[in-house]
């Protein structure tokens, strides 16, 4: 149950687009379309941003989008805003019927 | 509205036990798979355990298998996490979360506010 690999940090200027990668294996990300993404502001509980690779829950801005290719999932934030500054975590279901989170990415808005 | 409220956290000595609770409201608790997730201070999220809607199926992270037990009482709309043989590395904020409502159902929403467990002598 090794954590999925994410870049430690990603930054961008307001209005720009950034992409966060989430790399797993053929036993998790690569085998299931059950990748979700969570946003966490300091001291707060995580908030669902994307589910099942590319689905956006109601209430989440359409600036957030997700995709997947082979063993790597990605979260893209377009039109970056100051409020997007937070930690982001991916999560995947695994072939062991368990779940695994990514290592987390700190997004900084310059 | 859907709400999850954790309780039971606190300071506990290494090797001792602690039981966390998660009170659910605003939805039919007995119909939903539930999860526990933890976050050590200044660290990332770690999935801990999952229990099926009827309590018949449970899975655990390797780091807690054999020491933690997830359970539920649908008559009380409450999820539990019994933690035994606690170690310093179990120090974390513990969150409960509900499974997703559509698609694969393999996503977590909503989450509770978390309860802090500190394992220290």
């Amino acid at each position: 149950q090794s954590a999925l690999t994410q870049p430690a940090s990603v930054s961008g200027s307001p209005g720009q687009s950034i992409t966060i990668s989430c790399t797993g294996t053929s036993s998790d990300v690569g085998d299931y379309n059950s990748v979700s993404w969570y946003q966490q502001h300091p001291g707060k509980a995580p908030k669902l941003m994307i589910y099942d690779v590319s689905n956006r829950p109601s209430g989440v801005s359409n600036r957030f989008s997700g995709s997947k290719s082979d063993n790597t999932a990605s979260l893209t934030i377009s039109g970056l805003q100051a409020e997007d500054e937070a930690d982001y975590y991916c999560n995947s279901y695994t072939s062991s019927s368990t779940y695994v989170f990514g290592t987390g990415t700190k997004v900084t808005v310059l | 509205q859907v709400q999850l409220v954790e309780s039971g956290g606190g300071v506990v000595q290494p090797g001792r036990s602690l039981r966390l609770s998660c009170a659910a409201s605003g939805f039919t608790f007995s119909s939903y798979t539930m999860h526990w997730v933890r976050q050590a201070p200044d660290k990332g999220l770690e999935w801990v355990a999952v229990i099926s809607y009827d309590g018949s199926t449970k899975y655990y992270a390797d780091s807690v298998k054999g020491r933690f037990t997830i359970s539920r009482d649908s008559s009380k709309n409450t999820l539990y996490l019994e933690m035994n043989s606690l170690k310093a590395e179990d120090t974390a904020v513990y969150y409960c979360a509900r499974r997703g409502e559509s698609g694969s159902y393999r996503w977590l929403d909503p989450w509770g506010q978390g309860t802090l467990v500190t394992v220290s002598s």
Side-chain angles (χ1 to χ4, degrees):
Chain A
Q1 290 181 344
S2 297
L4 307 176
T5 301
Q6 298 181 232
S9 62
V10 174
S11 62
S13 299
Q16 286 187 330
S17 293
I18 61 169
T19 296
I20 303 168
S21 61
C22 168
T23 301
T25 70
S26 57
S27 296
D28 39 63
V29 175
D31 203 23
Y32 302 94
N33 286 326
S34 300
V35 176
S36 50
W37 289 90
Y38 303 86
Q39 176 192 65
Q40 187 180 35
H41 286 108
K44 300 295 187 181
K47 174 188 175 183
L48 175 72
M49 303 304 284
I50 294 287
Y51 69 94
D52 291 352
V53 175
S54 59
N55 292 281
R56 202 171 43 250
S58 61
V60 171
S61 171
N62 59 9
R63 298 184 297 104
F64 291 84
S65 61
S67 62
K68 191 187 86 166
S69 177
D70 297 326
N71 296 341
T72 298
S74 298
L75 174 71
T76 298
I77 309 174
S78 57
L80 199 61
Q81 298 181 1
E83 67 208 50
D84 301 332
E85 188 162 291
D87 294 325
Y88 291 83
Y89 296 91
C90 60
N91 177 272
S92 177
Y93 181 72
T94 82
S95 59
S96 301
S97 301
T98 60
Y99 292 73
V100 60
F101 279 97
T103 50
T105 298
K106 181 177 180 60
V107 169
T108 300
V109 181
L110 302 172
Chain B
Q1 74 283 16
V2 176
Q3 192 170 16
L4 299 171
V5 179
E6 301 93 337
S7 61
V11 180
V12 60
Q13 294 179 328
R16 303 297 292 266
S17 298
L18 197 66
R19 188 178 81 161
L20 305 182
S21 299
C22 169
S25 59
F27 65 102
T28 306
F29 179 72
S30 59
S31 297
Y32 286 81
T33 291
M34 297 293 295
H35 299 259
W36 285 101
V37 176
R38 69 183 181 181
Q39 186 171 34
D42 296 320
K43 300 295 184 182
L45 299 174
E46 180 186 15
W47 178 84
V48 173
V50 63
I51 185 169
S52 61
Y53 70 99
D54 61 355
S56 63
T57 304
K58 307 172 185 181
Y59 294 98
Y60 299 91
D62 287 344
S63 58
V64 306
K65 197 176 300 181
R67 299 188 300 122
F68 289 13
T69 301
I70 188 172
S71 63
R72 62 193 301 158
D73 185 340
S74 289
S75 69
K76 297 182 178 179
N77 287 345
T78 302
L79 175 73
Y80 301 103
L81 186 68
E82 183 77 35
M83 305 183 294
N84 298 322
S85 303
L86 281 162
K87 308 175 183 179
E89 50 264 43
D90 295 319
T91 294
V93 173
Y94 286 74
Y95 297 98
C96 64
R98 192 187 70 176
R99 65 97 167 136
E101 287 204 284
S102 62
S104 74
Y105 303 103
R106 294 168 178 160
W107 38 283
L108 285 66
D109 184 63
W111 297 57
Q113 86 290 348
T115 187
L116 176 62
V117 173
T118 302
V119 183
S120 173
S121 55

